[in-house]
Amino acid sequence: MDSNVAIKVENLSKLYTLRESSIGIDGQSTNELWALKDVSFEIKKGESVGIIGPNGSGKSTLLKILAGITKPTSGKVTIKGKVASILDIGAGFHPELSGRENIFLNGQLLGFSKKKIQSHYDEIVKFSGIVKFIDEPVKNYSNGMYLRLAFSIMVHLDFDVYLFDEVLSVGDAEFVLKSREKFEEIKSLNKTIVFVSHNFSELGNQELIIQFEKGKLLFIGNDLNIFGVYNEKTIVNLGEKVYNSRIQLNDFNVFNESKTIKIEKIELYQDEDKFRTDRQTHFVIFFKNDETFLSTDFVIKIFDVNGNVVSTIASIFTEPEPKLGGLGLHKFSFVFPPNYFGLDLYSLRIHMVTNVLEEITEIGEKLILDDQGLSSISKSHFLLPCIIYFKMNFILKEKIIQSNEPYLRGGLLPIFTWTKTKVDLF
Amino acid sequence: MLEDEEIQIMTSEPDSFREYFQKIWKFRSLIWVFAMRDLKVKYAQTLIGVGWTIVQPLTALTIFTFFFGYIMNMKSGNLPFVLFILSGLLGWNFFSYIVSAGSISVQESSHIIKKIYFPKSILPFSKVLIALVELLLTLTLLIPLMFYYDEGISWRIIFLPFVLAFNAICGLTLVFWVASFAYRKRDLFHLLPFIVYFGIWFTPVFFSGTFLPSKIQFLMDFNPMANVIKMWRWMLFGMGKFQWIWLVNFVIVSVLCVIGMYYYNKKESAFSDFT
């Protein structure tokens, strides 16, 4: 085997026999389930690899085989070095034993000598942040404490290959931050890391992505478009549409929560058909107002694939044209500048905020309303019942970036003007 | 590679028997780790802790001595009946603990074996260690009684390691065989309590071999545990004579144990899929 290969997987298959038979893909009744079928790949020493795929796609089975917990039905795995299999955090913990005893128990289960564990003991306890309770039985720990201790043991002992199964985001925010740092540290030590995660922001930093579907290897490489494809699929499976060109929505009959404001049309478009990051993107909303004394504002929220808000664009900061409020058809619009969107799949939601017009309240004359009218005003915030999913081709200086630049991923790329000058040496 | 990194190869083939022993050797510290864990856990949140290990045989001893010795007035030759019973219980409890704890050890640790690899025979071995601790504690009961009844310790005590090994192998053999064949369908596991509960009546724990009609006394020779108990008494008190059949039994059981382990090795990778 090549000396810089850490993990080599050749034609790996794993068959499970189920207790109950079910109808297979070919319509035949079968109690066979191929958790993995003919999977081959190589991971180099020092590489960090993210494995993605839907539930039941074989990710965990693969990790179990790599960890030696279960044997493949056919094929071969070769691993160089000491393997830390962190398939479940705190797997070897015993609730009746104290934190201290569990550190040793778990460490020894992972193949370390007592002496070795002793030499890391202080670091482990310090990192876990449970110095005070270390002699209490772990059954009295909170869930967070338990996980922190377990994670701390794993990352302080010295392995060559780390296998993580969706365990990296345990504990509170501070601990997550600490463990991310630790993780980067392990990476910098030229250790091989394989982990399964659904959190894409974690996977985004991996050098190699392996994607599974139904026990088969679908994709291997470092093309981060994989996220776009993967997420689009997830969203499409939910019955939604992902747009990559002009969007026009005008069927808002279902939305009648506001009696006075009626959304006519929402548009998201660029000047040419296909969405590209290097072009302006227009957002337009048309609505009809039936009341003179009400005005409306919109707040657009943009989310990334993980559901984090990456941008809030509110019209309330913009002064309306004189006499805008009140009766009639209105058009609000704004423009996303070029290079604002990155390589990601975004979703957009629209909040509508209705205000009683100030000048009218001051005069007070038109505020004679029946009860029904008042109650409809009192609810002045609505979330429009639509989510727009869209994505763009990532284009930088007329070149489609083949998206292996992980640093350009994530969130939006707000436009700041850089100053690039040359300074002479003193 | 500059450093001598370990290389692991995983295929559908089970480890060769030699590799398997190498792995057991590599993970040997776990035998102790699991045993210590179990002992700590067993006596967690108790006042007298490990003292409970004495209370149980003490109670059994009192009850059995009372019923068999006084009420039924059974005889045990020149040997005080208390010593006779205690030595029988010593060997039998050692065996029965290994069988009952060893056979459930895989299921008991299923949460670990699904997540961390180690050779599964570590688990029954660690139960042997616990059984040994309990046996040693029972000895703290037996030895003062031996002095009380003026039974000195003879040179035959040098056979102690052999008797212990014989005794343990009897238990382990059952564990390995049952575990190898019952990991999918667990019916065989339900047979083991019968062996533990009823086997005691086919073993001279409460009665000596001479209690049986002489025509069927030879049947005892086919029960390895009967041989073990007899050997315990021969070693401790010089009761009876040394018999070659003991060694024959030892060899047969040892061979069966190795075969059992061979199958256990072949099947154990499937344990994590079925427990």
Side-chain angles (χ1 to χ4, degrees):
Chain A
M1 188 162 92
D2 196 353
S3 70
N4 65 350
V5 171
I7 301 174
K8 190 174 186 179
V9 173
E10 295 161 87
N11 308 100
L12 198 69
S13 296
K14 173 78 182 178
L15 175 73
Y16 282 111
T17 311
L18 306 175
R19 281 182 204 173
E20 301 283 327
S21 34
S22 58
I23 308 299
I25 310 158
D26 51 355
Q28 298 283 311
S29 173
T30 174
N31 58 352
E32 290 189 345
L33 177 82
W34 287 96
L36 285 175
K37 192 131 198 201
D38 206 23
V39 171
S40 304
F41 60 87
E42 264 185 16
I43 295 172
K44 291 196 182 66
K45 203 172 171 240
E47 235 170 4
S48 66
V49 181
I51 297 181
I52 55 171
N55 286 335
S57 60
K59 301 169 305 212
S60 293
T61 306
L62 174 74
L63 236 55
K64 273 188 172 182
I65 295 173
L66 293 183
I69 292 161
T70 189
K71 283 203 178 284
T73 308
S74 65
K76 187 178 166 189
V77 174
T78 316
I79 301 188
K80 248 187 242 172
K82 200 169 174 62
V83 180
S85 57
I86 308 165
L87 303 200
D88 189 8
I89 210 135
F93 272 28
H94 200 291
E96 293 283 352
L97 300 180
S98 73
R100 181 193 303 275
E101 286 164 334
N102 267 308
I103 290 177
F104 284 96
L105 170 64
N106 221 28
Q108 284 174 287
L109 267 173
L110 292 163
F112 289 92
S113 67
K114 243 181 156 160
K115 225 174 105 190
K116 182 94 187 168
I117 301 161
Q118 186 63 57
S119 69
H120 289 284
Y121 178 80
D122 291 336
E123 289 170 60
I124 294 173
V125 176
K126 201 177 155 220
F127 187 84
S128 71
I130 45 169
V131 186
K132 247 171 87 185
F133 309 103
I134 202 68
D135 287 315
E136 288 290 310
V138 298
K139 66 175 175 186
N140 297 339
Y141 283 18
S142 72
N143 207 28
M145 285 160 74
Y146 186 89
L147 293 171
R148 288 205 310 262
L149 182 64
F151 184 76
S152 184
I153 297 168
M154 307 291 182
V155 294
H156 283 90
L157 297 171
D158 201 24
F159 297 94
D160 301 303
V161 177
Y162 290 79
L163 308 173
F164 292 97
D165 193 356
E166 300 185 67
V167 289
L168 270 181
S169 36
V170 299
D172 55 23
E174 189 204 336
F175 188 78
V176 169
L177 218 64
K178 263 164 75 184
S179 38
R180 292 268 164 82
E181 260 173 48
K182 192 78 202 168
F183 191 68
E184 291 300 318
E185 193 186 312
I186 295 172
K187 253 166 96 170
S188 70
L189 293 170
N190 205 26
K191 307 285 186 190
T192 310
I193 301 171
V194 178
F195 76 93
V196 167
S197 176
H198 288 303
N199 190 339
F200 294 96
S201 58
E202 272 170 7
L203 280 177
N205 296 323
Q206 306 319 307
E207 286 136 20
L208 194 68
I209 305 290
I210 298 177
Q211 189 186 6
F212 278 98
E213 199 179 85
K214 288 175 187 154
K216 285 189 182 129
L217 196 143
L218 203 67
F219 172 83
I220 180 164
N222 57 3
D223 184 345
L224 290 166
N225 257 326
I226 192 80
F227 294 107
V229 175
Y230 179 78
N231 288 311
E232 191 171 341
K233 220 168 180 170
T234 315
I235 288 158
V236 169
N237 286 344
L238 288 171
E240 300 285 348
K241 188 171 167 11
V242 176
Y243 296 90
N244 59 1
S245 61
R246 189 181 191 98
I247 302 160
Q248 187 176 323
L249 302 173
N250 37 22
D251 181 23
F252 285 99
N253 292 335
V254 280
F255 179 61
N256 54 7
E257 264 190 276
S258 168
K259 290 198 173 69
T260 51
I261 311 285
K262 190 168 178 286
I263 308 290
E264 291 289 331
K265 189 158 81 168
I266 295 171
E267 282 182 313
L268 188 73
Y269 64 92
Q270 291 188 340
D271 293 335
E272 279 172 53
D273 191 38
K274 206 112 179 154
F275 284 173
R276 283 168 54 151
T277 52
D278 63 339
R279 296 215 182 96
Q280 296 187 333
T281 311
H282 301 267
F283 178 86
V284 186
I285 186 161
F286 291 92
F287 63 95
K288 223 179 190 168
N289 192 347
D290 289 343
E291 289 287 351
T292 359
F293 54 87
L294 279 183
S295 82
T296 297
D297 274 303
F298 294 94
V299 177
I300 316 297
K301 283 199 179 288
I302 313 258
F303 300 83
D304 68 7
V305 278
N306 297 321
N308 302 316
V309 178
V310 288
S311 185
T312 302
I313 303 142
S315 69
I316 43 177
F317 304 118
T318 310
E319 283 299 312
E321 284 172 21
K323 308 248 183 253
L324 183 74
L327 216 59
L329 184 69
H330 301 259
K331 174 190 175 186
F332 280 19
S333 69
F334 67 90
V335 176
F336 292 103
N339 299 321
Y340 183 71
F341 292 105
L343 176 85
D344 214 334
L345 195 147
Y346 300 96
S347 58
L348 182 152
R349 304 205 71 170
I350 303 153
H351 295 258
M352 186 173 87
V353 190
T354 52
N355 312 302
V356 176
L357 281 176
E358 263 175 49
E359 64 248 53
I360 293 168
T361 28
E362 272 163 26
I363 300 163
E365 52 180 325
K366 286 222 168 174
L367 268 179
I368 311 148
L369 293 162
D370 55 11
D371 288 349
Q372 222 177 354
L374 262 176
S375 64
S376 78
I377 294 172
S378 64
K379 191 184 177 190
S380 59
H381 166 258
F382 303 95
L383 179 60
L384 300 200
C386 64
I387 306 176
I388 300 167
Y389 294 96
F390 63 98
K391 59 167 191 173
M392 310 213 165
N393 279 320
F394 193 83
I395 296 176
L396 188 67
K397 288 187 179 164
E398 291 300 317
K399 265 172 70 186
I400 296 179
I401 300 285
Q402 270 318 312
S403 53
N404 44 6
E405 269 82 341
Y407 48 86
L408 281 176
R409 244 181 63 80
L412 294 163
L413 312 169
I415 310 305
F416 292 109
T417 315
W418 285 81
T419 313
K420 294 185 179 175
T421 55
K422 207 166 186 178
V423 182
D424 289 329
L425 288 172
F426 295 108
Chain B
M1 278 293 117
L2 292 171
E3 350 156 33
D4 56 327
E5 278 188 330
E6 49 184 308
I7 291 187
Q8 293 178 57
I9 295 174
M10 293 146 212
T11 61
S12 56
E13 293 298 307
D15 297 321
S16 74
F17 212 28
R18 196 171 134 254
E19 283 170 335
Y20 190 63
F21 277 103
Q22 282 171 345
K23 279 189 176 164
I24 293 173
W25 181 249
K26 193 180 141 198
F27 284 90
R28 67 190 182 280
S29 69
L30 284 188
I31 298 177
W32 177 253
V33 169
F34 280 129
M36 284 310 289
R37 181 200 68 178
D38 287 356
L39 282 172
K40 275 183 195 156
V41 169
K42 193 169 174 186
Y43 300 112
Q45 293 188 357
T46 59
L47 278 177
I48 61 168
V50 92
W52 281 110
T53 308
I54 305 231
V55 173
Q56 193 250 336
L58 193 64
T59 316
L61 182 68
T62 316
I63 292 169
F64 292 139
T65 310
F66 179 73
F67 274 100
F68 294 107
Y70 287 89
I71 296 194
M72 294 171 73
N73 205 18
M74 284 167 80
K75 289 284 169 277
S76 53
N78 297 326
L79 192 67
F81 198 71
V82 176
L83 289 183
F84 178 81
I85 291 269
L86 189 55
S87 56
L89 282 175
L90 194 76
W92 184 261
N93 285 348
F94 189 52
F95 165 80
S96 73
Y97 184 86
I98 293 170
V99 172
S100 47
S103 60
I104 60 158
S105 61
V106 170
Q107 280 176 52
E108 185 189 49
S109 292
S110 68
H111 62 289
I112 300 179
I113 66 171
K114 277 174 192 272
K115 304 291 179 186
I116 299 173
Y117 172 78
F118 56 89
K120 310 299 175 282
S121 38
I122 294 285
L123 292 167
F125 284 141
S126 84
K127 299 298 179 191
V128 174
L129 213 58
I130 297 173
L132 201 62
V133 170
E134 304 206 337
L135 181 131
L136 288 175
L137 287 165
T138 315
L139 281 182
T140 63
L141 206 64
L142 180 75
I143 291 166
L145 278 172
M146 280 173 74
F147 281 106
Y148 178 80
Y149 287 107
D150 272 340
E151 284 283 339
I153 289 170
S154 87
W155 61 272
R156 292 178 304 264
I157 201 74
I158 56 165
F159 283 94
L160 182 65
F162 177 81
V163 177
L164 280 175
F166 190 2
N167 203 337
I169 287 169
C170 287
L172 282 173
T173 306
L174 269 175
V175 171
F176 286 137
W177 277 83
V178 169
S180 312
F181 291 102
Y183 67 95
R184 266 171 202 260
K185 297 274 174 243
R186 297 185 179 158
D187 303 65
L188 275 178
F189 284 121
H190 296 278
L191 206 69
L192 287 178
F194 287 94
I195 294 177
V196 173
Y197 285 124
F198 301 119
I200 197 166
W201 302 107
F202 299 94
T203 308
V205 175
F206 304 125
F207 53 87
S208 61
T210 52
F211 177 77
L212 288 178
S214 54
K215 270 186 186 167
I216 57 163
Q217 259 188 39
F218 73 95
L219 282 174
M220 281 285 187
D221 293 338
F222 296 104
N223 173 1
M225 272 312 291
N227 290 283
V228 171
I229 300 286
K230 281 184 193 166
M231 201 167 170
W232 270 106
R233 290 189 179 130
W234 168 79
M235 181 185 73
L236 288 170
F237 319 116
M239 194 183 177
K241 284 200 182 79
F242 181 88
Q243 286 170 290
W244 289 102
I245 192 78
W246 296 345
L247 293 187
V248 175
N249 264 276
F250 175 75
V251 171
I252 292 171
V253 175
S254 298
V255 169
L256 285 173
C257 188
V258 171
I259 297 172
M261 244 181 117
Y262 177 78
Y263 280 108
Y264 194 86
N265 163 39
K266 273 188 118 164
K267 305 282 179 181
E268 73 152 55
S269 69
F271 289 177
S272 64
D273 294 341
F274 286 97
T275 49

